[in-house]
Each structure stands twice: as C-alpha cells, then as structure tokens.
Amino acid sequence: MASKTKSVFVCENCGCESPKWLGKCPSCGEWNTMQEEVRVTQPAAAAQKPAKPTAALRSYPLSQIKPDTELRYTTGMEELDRVLGGGIVKGSLVLLSGDPGIGKSTILLQVCRALGSAMDVLYVSGEESYHQIKLRADRLGVTAAGIRLLCETDVQAICDHILQQTPGLVIIDSIQTMNHTDLSSSPGSITQVRESTNLLMRTAKSLSIPIIIVGHVNKDGNIAGPKVLEHIVDAVLYFEGERNLSFRILRAVKNRYGSTNEIGVFEMTDCGLQEVKNPSEALIAGRPKNTPGTCVACVMEGSRPLLAEIQGLVTPTSYGNPRRMSNGFDYNRMAMLIAVLEKRGGYYFNSMDTYINIVGGMKLDEPALDLTIAMALVSSLKDYALRDDVLAFGEIGLAGEIRAVSHCEQRIKEAARLGFSKCIVPKHNLRSISKSMQQTIEIVGVRTIREAFEALVT
Ligand code: TYD
Ligand code: MG
C-alpha cells in the first residue's frame, strides 16, 4: 500500500490538534495559532498481522538495578552549577530560555571557556555567523583550544556531525532556528521545534553527550513553541531580569537531576556575565538612609536567604480612581495587602496612588515579603522613616495577623551577617529560634501590623 498524506492543524501555543482549521484554539483559547502540518502515514503492515506477544521485552526488579554514578561536569561557574544541581549531567538535555538580549549566548560561550580546555565542545549557532561569534569570544577572552564552531540550521546534518565528532558537550543556539528538512513547516513552528528537539534528545541519550539548547520566549514570557518542549528535556533553566538592569537571575523551572528552588545571580558587565557571590550585599547596596518608604526583606530562594530592598511610594491621587502599581511583586497580592492595611490596620489608602518597587529588578513572590511590603507602604503613607538597621518579614493574613514563615533562623542569620541589628519576625516563630541567635541580634516577635510598625520605628 502506498503512503498517504494527511493535513492536520496544530496550535502553535499548546500543541492541540484538529482536522480542520479553527480561528480559536479549543484547548488554550488563543486566536490565530492553528498552523497546517502535512503528515505522511505509512501503511500499517504490522497492524494487519495477528497480535503476538513481543518476546524481547524484559522488566527488572527495582532492587536489582545498580545506581549509575551520575557523572557531572562543572561549568566553572558556581552559580550555574548550583542551579543545575551540581554541574551538567552526562547525556542530559538542558533547555536555557529567556528574553532576547538577556545573555543566553554569552553565558554559554563562557561555559565553553571553562569546559573547552578539558574536552571538545561543539557550539552550533543558527543565529550568528562565525565572524560574529569570534568577535564575541575575543571580547569574553574565550580562547580554549577544544571549542569548535558550526553555523548550521539543518538539525539532521548537525546530529550526523555530532555522531562523527563525538564532542564532550554540544550547545545549540537556538532551537527556533533549527530546521528538519523532512518537514514542510517553517523553522520555529511547533512541529519543527518538537521534532528537532526529539532528534537532539535521541543523539544526547545514545552517545551520552550533554546538549544545551537555547529556547526563545514569546511576548508573554513563555518558552516559544509547545509545552511539549519542556516535557522532552531534562532541565529547563530560565534567565530573567530586566534587560536594562545589570542583575540577571538564573532559575531552574524543571530539573530531573536537582532541586528547582535554587537560583544563580549574575551581573552583566563589559566583559561578560560575572557571578554575584554575595547577592544580598549587592542588592541592598546604595540604600537611601533615613528615608520614608523603604524596608528590607529577607526571602528564601531555594536554600539560600536573600536580602532585598522594598520601596513603597504613596502619593495623593489626582484622578478619581487611585492608581496601584507593582514592580516585581504580584499586583493582586499588593491589592489584598492594601485592603488588609485599611480594614485591620487603620491605614487608609483610598485617595492615594500606591507604588511598590523591588530594587534591582528582582521578581519575588514569597509570602514572607508581605510584612515588608506593608511596612514600606505604611512608612511612605505616614512619611515617617523606618530604622535603617531593622529588617522585617512575615506573612500577613486577611485578619491582619502576622503568620509564621519557614527558615526563620536562616533569614535572621543572613540579616546579622550583613550588619542589621534588629529583626522583626512573626511572634509564632520566636519559639524556634535558638538562644545563641537571640544573643547575636535583637529579635522582636510581632502579632499585628501596628505592633510591627511600632517596632520598626523605635
Ligand atoms: P546575548 O548573550 O547575545 O543575549 P541572548 O543570546 O540572550 O539574546 O547578550 C547580548 C547582550 O549582552 C547585549 O545587549 C550586549 C550585552 N553584553 C554585555 O553587556 N557585555 C558583554 O561582554 C557581552 C558579550 C554582551
Ligand atoms: Mg543569542
């Protein structure tokens, strides 16, 4: 029987399939995302044979399987290694994603610098020319002898090249430029991205070569292409931060070989990305002294406490509707905190424009930040400066109560290390704090918003 071709329409956003073209995807509700894809179906010769049990399959008792020691390569950047769970695992497929211009190509070239002296690294670029990459490498001081460049977009040819050369690490920049010649759709389309990733994954697993692929994000901040891309790969790293600010945060969204809570902090300088070993110090540097509307928080990012400066600005509104704006913090949670401050704290914002900003372009969403946000707002509303050497954290409930947070002692320790002399913490957390810690730094347990404000100004 001859092979048949069939058209299906696939949603670019979520991968939903339909036999007909539709204006709106029935699965994700996005408009104008259905794209035609031609599929060739082979005659199902096997399906015509009578069903027979397959003899070749064998399953194994879990207890008899010997754990393979995970071989990891350290990238020479501690911050990146931590996010990866201790280094790049042999044979893994890692997706690095982020806004354009955030530094994806830069960090990968820096990975080449560290690993290129110990092994062969193949850097495949579908976006830049040999000349452009060379210029950037010179600027970053990347001269390792083991680095090979390949400017190519045909993913099958690239996989053949990998098979021949068997390098120690492969970098694909970016998956959206890769093209599978058997498929009719254009590069960057859902089918191309999925099939190219599948092919790369098979290559990575069969040869035990780690492959890092760069993925672009669309305008909503999601990884362009289908969600399936995230399912295929072993780890998804996400580079975030404001393009105009120098700090960049690397986060693991998925990691089959480590925790997804860890973050790495980098700073973009004129000679590439530099690791920020002491992010708390960098984030609170240059804090205005004796100024209303600023308060310092301590949030946990994975296993590491991080200090962040929260600024609030409350000004009389000139329009009917007061404006609320939040930068780096969830807008709805900010609205909820304002409601709690009004109803339970007696601080009124109804004719006031209210702005919140987390300094350094950080995006934080921990509940422990509630108290700090509330204090920054109250301080600005009252136009009364909080003490510079005091730090506050705690979750605020709808009844206006300050609720306990996790890792309290670790947060206080970080505050003490950076020279703070007083910590305002939820009262319920006091019990779990050791005596020795209480002797190092003054710790005040609070139950309500008013108590917290009083403790912050005295
Ligand atoms: P790039 O790695 O090309 O971003 P991506 O691959 O994520 O799109 O980073 C480009 C930006 O980084 C660009 O705006 C210039 C800046 N940059 C520096 O500031 N210093 C440097 O040493 C390098 C290489 C880039
Ligand atoms: Mg790039």
Side-chain angles (χ1 to χ4, degrees), residues 147-164:
I147 306 172
R148 301 185 67 84
L149 295 184
L150 176 65
C151 293
E152 177 59 63
T153 55
D154 181 348
V155 71
Q156 276 161 316
I158 292 168
C159 286
D160 288 345
H161 186 78
I162 297 173
L163 279 170
Q164 276 168 15

Side-chain angles (χ1 to χ4, degrees), residues 192-246:
Q192 287 282 5
V193 168
R194 188 180 53 207
E195 291 311 312
S196 303
T197 314
N198 267 325
L199 195 61
L200 288 167
M201 189 197 58
R202 284 198 293 275
T203 311
K205 302 288 169 197
S206 63
L207 299 174
S208 259
I209 297 175
I211 301 186
I212 305 180
I213 56 182
V214 171
H216 290 181
V217 293
N218 57 23
K219 60 180 188 305
D220 303 328
N222 296 320
I223 296 167
K227 268 268 177 242
V228 284
L229 191 59
E230 289 174 50
H231 292 305
I232 300 171
V233 299
D234 295 311
V236 181
L237 308 187
Y238 200 89
F239 227 150
E240 65 184 32
E242 294 290 323
R243 202 172 152 182
N244 306 330
L245 294 169
S246 59

Side-chain angles (χ1 to χ4, degrees), residues 99-106 136 139-140 173 243 268-272:
D99 290 337
I102 198 93
K104 300 180 292 293
S105 307
T106 308
R136 187 201 300 250
R139 186 157 153 204
L140 296 173
D173 189 2
R243 202 172 152 182
M268 185 59 99
T269 64
D270 53 358
C271 49

Side-chain angles (χ1 to χ4, degrees), residues 355-400:
Y355 304 91
I356 281 287
N357 179 38
I358 300 185
V359 176
M362 298 281 292
K363 288 191 177 63
L364 303 172
D365 60 357
E366 234 210 307
L369 215 60
D370 289 354
L371 185 61
T372 327
I373 302 253
M375 289 304 105
L377 289 178
V378 172
S379 157
S380 181
L381 178 76
K382 299 247 153 213
D383 220 4
Y384 199 94
L386 306 177
R387 264 175 61 179
D388 295 326
D389 57 342
V390 186
L391 172 148
F393 56 83
E395 182 180 348
I396 296 183
L398 290 187

Side-chain angles (χ1 to χ4, degrees), residues 394-441:
E395 182 180 348
I396 296 183
L398 290 187
E401 81 280 18
I402 314 287
R403 307 182 73 102
V405 296
S406 59
H407 303 98
C408 189
E409 190 154 341
Q410 244 176 302
R411 297 179 205 250
I412 298 174
K413 212 165 162 184
E414 178 77 354
R417 191 176 72 82
L418 282 148
F420 283 81
S421 54
K422 187 170 166 185
C423 268
I424 315 294
V425 305
K427 189 122 190 167
H428 283 290
N429 275 122
L430 277 184
R431 266 175 299 160
S432 63
I433 299 166
S434 65
K435 280 265 157 3
S436 62
M437 183 53 81
Q438 297 196 12
Q439 278 155 11
T440 344
I441 183 168

